[in-house]
Amino acid sequence: MTRAIGFNLQNFQSNLLSWYARHKRALPWRDNPALYRVWISEVMLQQTTVTAILPRFERFLLEFPDIQSLAKAKEDRVLAAWAGLGYYSRAKNLRLAAQEIVKKYGGRFPEDFDEILSLPGIGRYTAGAILSIAFQKPYPVLDGNVARFFSRIFAKNGDAPKFWALAEELLSHENPGDWNQALMELGETVCVPENPNCLQCPVKDFCQAFKKEAQNRFPAPKRNRPFVDMAWTVLWIEKNARILIWKRSEKERLLKSHWGLPESQCLKVNRGKLIKTAQHTITHHKISVDVRAAVAPERLPKEARWVSKKELSRFLISSLWKKCLPH
Ligand code: SF4
């Protein structure tokens, strides 16, 4: 019996690992856990569900099959391949990290924790997932699913440092890759946020929340960040069957350096009739977008560019822009 955690760790690990061996979902990065695939999948998984990733994962890999092709790719192409996954800074950072790996490490992914952590877009969770799954090194992971599971097992609320300490303590050193994936899999499929499926849970005998019938009280609900309402007016400018699009700056609050329709303040033109109003939410921003017709300016700023209607979908990749298209 381990005194700090209050139960037999070996039994706990063995229950969870054998459950994982029997019940794990067949996922493309599990069937072939090559390092590059693990890295891409873990970055995709950071804020997106498995269901949303599945149709896009292999497509992304077909276009960028290795670190070199990702490092050489234009940012627009990487963003286009990321379309539908949201949080586009992840795609930008993937490309920047690939460039750094080529420049600093000759194209070989580093195996040292601090070196991995210093790559753009990689935090402690992703570094731990890559090292444990692709290299079988004993590094823990902690994401929302794992934190919820720990909170219920110990019937305790806690903060990230406390849960990271637990993740270290419970980690299986013999099988860290499967262990970390088992924790995440259980959190995602059994110990779900609402009404966890405790009767199917392989570690219910260890679970304090289950014993106290307090599963839905742990973790304590977080106060949600309040929504920010935003109103944009964007311009639909058409000339000779071409549409004017705009490269947003790196300083924008949302959709930084994305191609989009020009916002009205970008161009000195008269606004015409309202074509449509679209509603869209990005993180905690609720955006109402008026799309207005306008005539082309005489001189185009460097951020503007004409594209054919066919090309639009290649440039306007956020679903916000798709809602703004007039037809
Ligand atoms: Fe989660 Fe229920 Fe299992 Fe406890 S018994 S870990 S609450 S699924």
Side-chain angles (χ1 to χ4, degrees):
M1 176 88 73
T2 311
R3 209 182 309 156
I5 55 174
F7 54 69
N8 185 307
L9 181 56
Q10 248 184 352
N11 291 351
F12 180 74
Q13 289 174 337
S14 121
N15 281 19
L16 191 50
L17 282 167
S18 33
W19 170 85
Y20 179 67
R22 287 195 310 275
H23 294 280
K24 65 180 171 193
R25 290 166 293 175
L27 299 173
W29 50 91
R30 279 189 187 149
D31 301 344
N32 172 5
L35 168 63
Y36 181 69
R37 295 168 68 86
V38 171
W39 174 37
I40 302 294
S41 68
E42 285 303 332
V43 173
M44 286 185 172
L45 283 164
Q46 280 169 8
Q47 267 126 340
T48 312
T49 60
V50 167
T51 325
I53 292 171
L54 281 176
R56 296 171 175 96
F57 178 73
E58 294 292 359
R59 256 198 340 246
F60 189 91
L61 265 89
L62 266 182
E63 190 154 359
F64 310 111
D66 48 32
I67 292 173
Q68 284 71 15
S69 55
L70 185 57
K72 271 192 254 153
K74 290 228 161 84
E75 186 183 87
D76 288 346
R77 283 200 48 203
V78 180
L79 290 176
W82 199 261
L85 291 169
Y87 297 95
Y88 288 88
S89 56
R90 294 180 297 168
K92 291 183 198 173
N93 282 331
L94 264 182
R95 175 174 162 272
L96 293 175
Q99 291 174 342
E100 199 168 315
I101 294 168
V102 167
K103 210 165 128 202
K104 260 174 108 173
Y105 305 107
R108 275 200 71 209
F109 203 97
E111 289 186 37
D112 174 79
F113 181 77
D114 291 322
E115 286 176 348
I116 297 180
L117 204 59
S118 72
L119 293 170
I122 297 196
R124 187 174 174 187
Y125 162 83
T126 309
I130 292 170
L131 281 168
S132 62
I133 300 168
F135 296 112
Q136 287 306 315
K137 291 195 177 183
Y139 284 88
V141 295
L142 181 77
D143 65 359
N145 289 322
V146 178
R148 178 173 62 252
F149 171 66
F150 288 165
S151 171
R152 287 169 173 169
I153 286 287
F154 297 99
K156 280 202 169 28
N157 287 304
D159 49 16
K162 250 192 218 159
F163 286 138
W164 272 111
L166 268 177
E168 299 239 10
E169 201 171 339
L170 301 181
L171 179 70
S172 160
H173 285 245
E174 290 73 48
N175 202 349
D178 277 359
W179 174 255
N180 284 338
Q181 291 184 89
L183 287 176
M184 295 189 272
E185 186 83 346
L186 192 84
E188 210 171 309
T189 61
V190 177
C191 196
V192 291
E194 305 283 331
N195 303 319
N197 193 356
C198 300
L199 295 178
Q200 303 294 323
C201 178
V203 288
K204 60 179 176 302
D205 294 343
F206 300 81
C207 179
Q208 291 300 322
F210 179 65
K211 281 182 196 154
K212 296 175 182 169
E213 296 187 14
Q215 301 91 315
N216 284 328
R217 281 201 282 119
F218 293 98
K222 270 200 236 140
R223 264 201 284 148
N224 288 334
R225 203 168 167 185
F227 275 103
V228 174
D229 289 313
M230 300 177 85
W232 293 1
T233 300
V234 301
L235 305 174
W236 179 260
I237 303 176
E238 205 172 331
K239 191 177 166 188
N240 302 331
R242 298 192 150 235
I243 314 298
L244 193 76
I245 60 169
W246 186 267
K247 179 88 169 177
R248 295 169 66 78
S249 106
E250 192 51 50
K251 293 192 183 122
E252 296 287 354
R253 183 165 177 174
L254 297 170
L255 302 176
K256 297 176 204 298
S257 62
H258 273 229
W259 285 100
L261 294 177
E263 286 194 57
S264 58
Q265 67 273 17
C266 300
L267 290 170
K268 283 198 185 111
V269 292
N270 291 332
R271 301 179 196 181
K273 72 170 174 66
L274 179 69
I275 299 176
K276 73 190 290 192
T277 298
Q279 311 293 337
H280 190 72
T281 303
I282 299 180
T283 60
H284 62 291
H285 303 86
K286 276 189 181 166
I287 314 160
S288 174
V289 192
D290 280 351
V291 185
R292 287 191 174 270
V295 285
E298 280 180 14
R299 288 182 44 195
L300 282 191
K302 63 176 182 355
E303 295 88 352
R305 167 175 183 170
W306 292 106
V307 294
S308 70
K309 284 187 183 168
K310 254 194 180 163
E311 287 173 307
L312 267 183
S313 61
R314 205 153 59 76
F315 287 94
L316 305 191
I317 54 174
S318 162
S319 32
L320 177 144
W321 301 121
K322 295 193 169 69
K323 291 179 185 173
C324 290
L325 300 183
H327 23 71

